[in-house]
Amino acid sequence: MSRVIVEKNVAVPMRDGVRLFADIYRPANDESHPVLLLRTPYNKEDAQTMNYAHPSWYARQGYVVIVQDTRGRWTSEGEFDPYTHEAKDGYDTIEWAAKLPYVVPKVGMYGFSYCGSVQWQAAVLQPPHLVCIAPGMIGSDAYQGKAYRNGAFSLALLQSWVLFAAQDTAIRRGRSDWIAELGSYYANIQAYYRRLPLSEPPEAVRELAPYYERWLEHPVRSEYWLGQSLQESYGSVAVPALHLGGWYDIFVDGTIENFAGVRAQGATAIAREHQYLVIEPWYHMPWSRYVGELDFGPEAANRIDELQLAWFDQWLKGQEPASAPAPARYFQMGSNTWQEAPNWPPPGSTRTAYYLHSSSRANSINGDGQLSLTEPLDEHPDVYVYHPSIAVPALGGRSGAVPDLTPMGPRNQLPIEVRNDVLVYTSEPLQEELELAGEIVLELYAATTAEDTDFVAKLVDVYPDGRAYNIAEGILRASYRNGLTKREAVPPGEVLRYELSLGPTAIQLQQGHAIRLDLTSSLFPTFDRHPNRLIDPGRATEADFVTATQTVYHDELYPSRLWLPTIRNEAKEGRGEP
């Protein structure tokens, strides 16, 4: 099948009279075919081809492919308000597509990031002709892991995204002056990240993207966020889903939560029994074996189109796979191989405590910070000073969405590990390979002189030649230590226990490598600079900045420790490994 019929700018009426426009790609024959739907705010003519094959490729595989501009974007009518209309608009589009004269009335959806979110929002309403979805790189909650993480504002992700989204709105309004202004902010993005207060953006951003200020006006997880979050609606999802995540993607923990949540709570047996998780070593985009400064080998190459084709062939054409896929399939970094498991985390993953130690001070790689399995006895605490005007920069990591603009992927951490405001704890070289698969958690005992502050932790793989590549990271705003729905001031000088998630990973640390924990109080511009005061992120200015002296304890009474999800030898044998 080589010829494809293309229909451009087909009007799709919504229930409120707004018309959304779509391009349709279909095989040039008289047969009927099932539908693949991609709904995007990023231009239907692009069709997310940075990561996926062109829609004509899918059409040649026997599908009617519909790519639609979402409301208020590019060719479609209406006003763009992120996520507000996507559930009903998705439902209406699915049911419209199922009635086209040349289709089999079965619809599957694909797309990543925002285009993954719109799939979930439509699925929750249970449109009758939606059969399956394939959401990529999307989280479970509009607040946690997207706009904020444990109270810290996702600065680089949101500001860069807003600048991009506002450009199309400026074009639609014919404001060439605003288009040029937004372009200048893009060109000087690092300076833009330093603008304060955050709640007073430039006029172009304020007029074109008013939702940005609303996000800042709601710094705790309140009712405002619930309508945009999936995790409260797992019980309404009635379709199979192929979940795609990346170990360096900002949404990876939410992707795993979606997989587990629908698997446990889905509205139908077919939904609960047919959730599948695939995690690559990738960041948000583009998808490749080359991520940041590392090459994960040929097994990490982008073969998503073949994977999705098999998925849609199964559910939309009834072509059963030669063998049933495992519910969880994940790329193990380090060995650069694929692993399969019946769930996540895989069976045999056990929490193992690695304790923080130092005999003098752990400040920087010049210090004597250590990680070991030995419990601490009588040790002096480590002290560092954090001031937001000299925040520790983020090198790589789990931001999003464009590596040229935001800190993403694995990068050598030595340039920040030379700083005294970074505590560095390193294990002895490993005597044998060590497998990790699951969530990494830091149990931290610390005190601060501030009424509020941040703690940032990073797990690092130290190579024998000294290179140190980040694996996972996490942040916790101290005032959110007891939950995301309220803030509580920190009693200055009081030792408190914090639990800080660094998120999930799967890696085989090689013999001769070492495990390292970096601990500090900023990860800029991935997250906003904390002023060390109990103040809304949007209101803080340089005049609000105060110094925080942070004391980290690791003794018998306050045994700070890093909990690593280790795979023991007996678990490997259960997988059939030598």
Side-chain angles (χ1 to χ4, degrees):
M1 186 183 302
S2 59
R3 291 189 59 241
V4 173
I5 296 172
V6 182
E7 300 175 73
K8 293 284 189 177
N9 297 317
V10 178
V12 186
M14 299 294 102
R15 65 188 68 183
D16 61 356
V18 169
R19 295 180 305 165
L20 309 185
F21 288 88
D23 294 342
I24 302 176
Y25 304 78
R26 56 189 176 91
N29 57 39
D30 295 330
E31 300 176 17
S32 296
H33 303 276
V35 176
L36 298 184
L37 173 62
L38 170 62
R39 304 189 62 249
T40 176
Y42 304 126
N43 187 354
K44 60 182 171 58
E45 293 193 35
D46 173 77
Q48 294 204 306
T49 51
M50 176 179 285
N51 290 326
Y52 299 112
H54 191 270
S56 59
W57 182 86
Y58 282 98
R60 290 187 177 94
Q61 316 308 314
Y63 289 94
V64 174
V65 185
I66 300 173
V67 186
Q68 181 189 65
D69 287 328
T70 55
R71 182 180 294 241
R73 302 295 292 168
W74 303 88
T75 61
S76 289
E77 298 174 349
E79 292 296 321
F80 179 56
D81 191 2
Y83 309 104
T84 301
H85 301 283
E86 304 303 357
K88 293 178 180 178
D89 287 354
Y91 184 107
D92 292 350
T93 302
I94 290 164
E95 295 309 300
W96 170 86
K99 295 180 177 66
L100 292 172
Y102 41 76
V103 310
V104 175
K106 295 182 178 180
V107 180
M109 298 182 74
Y110 74 100
F112 79 100
S113 197
Y114 193 104
C115 306
S117 177
V118 301
Q119 296 175 58
W120 285 119
Q121 290 178 292
V124 165
L125 296 186
Q126 299 183 9
H129 292 96
L130 180 64
V131 175
C132 64
I133 59 177
M137 306 288 190
I138 193 60
S140 60
D141 189 51
Y143 176 86
Q144 176 71 343
K146 184 182 289 184
Y148 294 83
R149 185 169 291 274
N150 297 324
F153 185 64
S154 299
L155 183 73
L157 169 69
L158 297 182
Q159 287 198 337
S160 62
W161 188 87
V162 164
L163 289 178
F164 175 80
Q167 287 179 327
D168 176 57
T169 308
I171 293 170
R172 294 164 68 91
R173 295 187 187 180
R175 291 298 301 264
S176 58
D177 56 334
W178 283 349
I179 297 170
E181 184 180 346
L182 294 170
S184 70
Y185 297 141
Y186 250 126
N188 299 280
I189 192 72
Q190 298 303 322
Y192 187 77
Y193 290 148
R194 300 188 73 87
R195 288 178 58 105
L196 293 175
L198 299 179
S199 60
E200 295 182 10
E203 180 187 10
V205 173
R206 173 168 289 167
E207 292 296 322
L208 297 170
Y211 42 84
Y212 168 73
E213 290 179 79
R214 293 201 297 270
W215 297 339
L216 285 164
E217 290 167 0
H218 295 86
V220 300
R221 192 174 188 271
S222 60
E223 190 71 26
Y224 170 80
W225 299 103
L226 300 186
Q228 304 174 24
S229 298
L230 176 62
Q231 60 185 207
E232 279 81 20
S233 302
Y234 291 139
S236 298
V237 176
V239 294
L242 176 64
H243 307 250
L244 174 66
W247 290 130
Y248 286 96
D249 180 46
I250 189 172
F251 300 121
V252 62
D253 47 353
T255 298
I256 292 172
E257 186 175 340
N258 291 339
F259 161 74
V262 180
R263 209 169 178 220
Q265 305 171 36
T268 62
I270 196 170
R272 294 189 296 273
E273 294 168 6
H274 294 285
Q275 300 297 310
Y276 297 92
L277 177 68
V278 176
I279 307 184
E280 300 272 5
W282 304 335
Y283 46 34
H284 200 67
M285 65 178 188
W287 301 342
S288 165
R289 61 185 277 180
Y290 306 103
V291 186
E293 297 177 3
L294 295 182
D295 174 8
F296 288 105
E299 290 296 312
N302 183 358
R303 300 186 180 93
I304 289 303
D305 295 301
E306 291 79 3
L307 180 68
Q308 286 194 157
L309 183 62
W311 173 255
F312 291 128
D313 282 351
Q314 176 183 357
W315 293 104
L316 300 179
K317 295 183 178 181
Q319 299 178 10
E320 289 297 324
S323 59
R329 189 166 181 262
Y330 62 94
F331 190 90
Q332 183 186 74
M333 299 180 291
S335 69
N336 294 347
T337 59
W338 284 96
Q339 306 291 332
E340 295 185 343
N343 50 43
W344 183 267
S349 178
T350 304
R351 290 193 354 146
T352 302
Y354 281 76
Y355 293 90
L356 281 60
H357 297 276
S358 70
S359 58
S360 175
R361 61 187 187 91
N363 305 76
S364 84
I365 55 172
N366 299 311
D368 61 1
Q370 296 179 344
L371 273 182
S372 80
L373 297 169
T374 304
E375 296 185 24
L377 295 174
D378 184 19
E379 296 184 12
H380 293 295
D382 293 310
V383 179
Y384 67 97
V385 174
Y386 161 60
H387 195 282
S389 64
I390 49 173
V392 176
L395 294 181
R398 288 175 175 158
S399 185
V402 182
D404 292 344
L405 304 176
T406 56
M408 293 164 56
R411 288 189 58 189
N412 192 347
Q413 300 300 301
L414 290 177
I416 65 167
E417 291 174 340
V418 298
R419 296 175 54 136
N420 273 347
D421 53 357
V422 178
L423 301 183
V424 178
Y425 302 92
T426 309
S427 74
E428 293 294 323
L430 296 171
Q431 297 302 304
E432 60 182 15
E433 297 167 346
L434 176 66
E435 288 191 31
L436 308 180
E439 184 184 17
I440 305 152
V441 176
L442 174 64
E443 181 183 347
L444 176 68
Y445 293 88
T448 178
T449 58
E451 63 181 2
D452 195 12
T453 194
D454 284 345
F455 290 106
V456 171
K458 190 177 299 179
L459 179 66
V460 178
D461 178 9
V462 184
Y463 285 50
D465 62 6
R467 287 175 296 153
Y469 290 106
N470 51 303
I471 300 170
E473 63 194 29
I475 189 169
L476 174 65
R477 191 144 291 180
S479 56
Y480 292 79
R481 63 195 180 277
N482 293 321
L484 303 178
T485 59
K486 63 177 181 178
R487 291 176 291 179
E488 302 175 48
V490 179
E494 185 174 323
V495 182
L496 299 177
R497 178 186 179 276
Y498 298 96
E499 189 168 294
L500 199 168
S501 173
L502 283 67
T505 196
I507 188 169
Q508 184 184 78
L509 296 163
Q510 301 300 304
Q511 181 181 4
H513 287 220
I515 309 165
R516 177 172 290 168
L517 172 71
D518 290 346
L519 183 60
T520 186
S521 287
S522 50
L523 193 65
F524 178 77
T526 301
F527 299 102
D528 64 309
R529 293 169 289 168
H530 198 306
N532 294 320
R533 298 182 59 193
L534 194 64
I535 187 172
D536 288 350
R539 292 174 44 214
T541 69
E542 287 87 347
D544 297 303
F545 289 176
V546 296
T547 301
T549 300
Q550 322 287 45
T551 305
V552 172
Y553 293 82
H554 43 81
D555 54 36
E556 190 171 16
L557 182 60
Y558 301 119
S560 292
R561 50 196 157 182
L562 184 64
W563 291 98
L564 295 182
T566 59
I567 301 290
R568 300 189 182 278
N569 288 332
E570 54 267 27
K572 300 179 193 178
E573 294 169 3
R575 290 194 316 217
E577 297 182 22

